[in-house]
Amino acid sequence: MRLWIRAAAVRRRVICLWLLLLCFALVTLALSDLFNKDQGHSLENPGPPRRPLQRIQSAPDLEIIVDSWDPALELGMDVAPLNSLQEDQLLYVASTHRTKNPPQRKVSYKVIIPGSNKDSTPPALPTHGATEKGVKQHPEATGLELSAVEKYGFNEVISESISLHRRLPEARHPQCLGEQYSESLPSASVIICFNDEAWSTLLRTVHSVLDTAPKQYLQEVLLVDDLSQHGHLKSVLSEYVSHLDGVRLIRSTKRLGVGGCRTLGAARAAGEVLVFMDSHCECQKGWLEPLLERVAQDRTRVVSPIMDVINWQTFQYNATQWPVRGVFDWRLDFSWESYPPLQDKEPDSAVQPVPSPALGGGVVAIDRHFFHSVGAYDPGMLLWGGEQIELSIRVWSCGGSMEVVPCSRVAHVDHHHLSYLLPDQEVLQRNKIRIADTWMDAYRKIFYRRDTLAHFIRQSESPNITERLRLKRSLGCRTFHWYLTTVYPQLYIPQDRPAVSGELYNVGTGSCADLPRRHRLLGGSMIVAPCSGTGNQHCDLNSDSEVRWGPMGALCLDAEGERVVASPCPKQRPSSSRLQWKFIKLSGQLVHQQSQLCVEAVKEGGVTQSTRAGTAGLFLRPCTHQPRQQWHFEQLVAPKVYP
């Protein structure tokens, strides 16, 4: 009997405990529902925009999923739907704040250092026009610089100390200040794509556009987030953008790369002219009107401003000297080159736009309907790299033109010095393979001989370019031979004859003739360096007895005293035997025809006649049979035309 009574008592205690737990759960649910109601009420009345990386408690999520979207309705029935942009890839944030001048607060915020448990509080960002002289090193920059540079490719600590409304010094030619533009210029949509961009550079780009573009011409600024992962580009950015008039934020739910991201922005744009802009730019006053004027005069014209340079370490502004134009070499690498012959064409050449074989991707303006009709960006291009060259060749070949407009200036942060910021090398090569196979016709064999990685990738797989070839035929595009002879006749076409082209290998040193990277544009003293096997050291002894060096073939082997140098090749046939060479295949000697001396390789620390210890490079010496004067032209890739 006693055992039964004890068991009953235990059961009563267990039942009481369960009842207490149930009551506690009900109270917790009630309090949670009340808290959610208060949070929903706060969403209806959001506060002023906050600074980046500031701790936001329960930050509101303003991203709105697009329920339906028909590109044909957005763009008009004359534009083909963009099948590469599916509805599940789009997120959209509209501006909800209609005030022209959003409130600016001078606040401090904490910077969270990756990989560190400590944080530091830099001074508040200034809110009004700091000039270049106001750029100062942050006291703790030495401790933050490394992580900031590794993360973004530039000194983000310095960037954070600069105003979002910085005014750049005037760099336009005085004649530009008196230029008059039409009062009925087309409207513009400025499209800024970004992926994990630093807050300061991204917002400085946006505010630079808003501060310098006339309101009557600026239809909108479209920020297109290409699947960023950094926290400050999520709800914090959404809230900030919601307070900016005329700024919209579009998010992609999958990584599109530069071309796909810009095409996405173009599909959502409302302006007549699309202005694609990188997410780390600063605009000069009066930059937009000259671009719109040129496009309005010819809707098939694609234009770029002069791209000035913002130093990645100090963020100092450096004006680019006019005239310049965009070019590329036989490895399909883009560069801006100085083009002095343009200066003497006309008295007012300082303000006259200049045709350009290619344009960089920093800032490009193009008519919206022409952009779509000519094929937008190639959807098969991965991440980034080469898309600007592909667009340039296609625009020129398919009825358009390209030019640099000197009265328009936009500065761009230069961070291409960091190789780890480049996409995976094979991704870049696959983009170049698409360009070569689609547009270069039989000339693509020159590309494959200078880019051995692309050659080996192409041997194992073929790009799917069926749609691009169909577009090429439907647009009636011209051949690459036409492009070379009409648009870019200055690009040297290598002969690549067997046994006298390829890497110039030295038997005695086991190295190849090379040129330091810093001299590869204007030339300098030749050196010997480990053979790269990439095609960067390609040499071509042509029928004019010139030894052309490098992927562009614009530099010729020359002699300055006893030293062998590379200098710009003459525009016409060589008039001096100083630039002429003879290769004796039997002995492997490379003979300078003017002096009848042979090229000898000297490695660092080597000692030869009249050569000081420690001097390295290529020198002219009396011809002997020693191994340092024996050379071989080694073709890395067998001549081949791909189907």
Side-chain angles (χ1 to χ4, degrees), residues 147-156 312-313 413-418 420-421:
S147 61
V149 170
E150 288 177 349
K151 190 173 184 180
Y152 297 114
F154 50 78
N155 192 338
E156 199 248 352
W312 67 274
Q313 293 175 302
V413 177
D414 175 26
H415 58 265
H416 298 296
H417 56 286
L418 297 173
Y420 65 81
L421 289 175

Side-chain angles (χ1 to χ4, degrees), residues 130-137 148-149 152-163 166-169 197-198 200-202 204-205 279-282 309-318 411-415 417:
T131 62
E132 196 61 53
K133 294 182 180 179
V135 178
K136 296 181 180 179
Q137 178 116 359
V149 170
Y152 297 114
F154 50 78
N155 192 338
E156 199 248 352
V157 174
I158 293 294
S159 178
E160 289 284 0
S161 69
I162 300 172
S163 170
R166 174 167 75 159
R167 294 189 299 268
L168 298 180
E197 180 65 64
S200 58
T201 48
L202 176 61
R204 192 177 298 115
T205 303
S279 53
H280 31 264
C281 292
E282 295 180 51
V309 177
I310 298 173
N311 185 279
W312 67 274
Q313 293 175 302
T314 64
F315 270 72
Q316 289 183 336
Y317 168 80
N318 300 287
H412 183 273
V413 177
D414 175 26
H415 58 265
H417 56 286

Side-chain angles (χ1 to χ4, degrees), residues 559-578:
E560 289 183 357
E562 65 175 7
R563 184 175 284 276
V564 178
V565 301
S567 61
C569 298
K571 303 300 180 184
Q572 307 298 327
R573 293 173 62 91
S575 57
S576 171
S577 58
R578 195 185 71 185

Side-chain angles (χ1 to χ4, degrees), residues 592-606:
H592 185 232
Q593 292 200 21
Q594 185 182 67
S595 65
Q596 289 300 300
L597 298 175
C598 289
V599 178
E600 182 175 315
V602 178
K603 295 188 72 173
E604 189 69 34

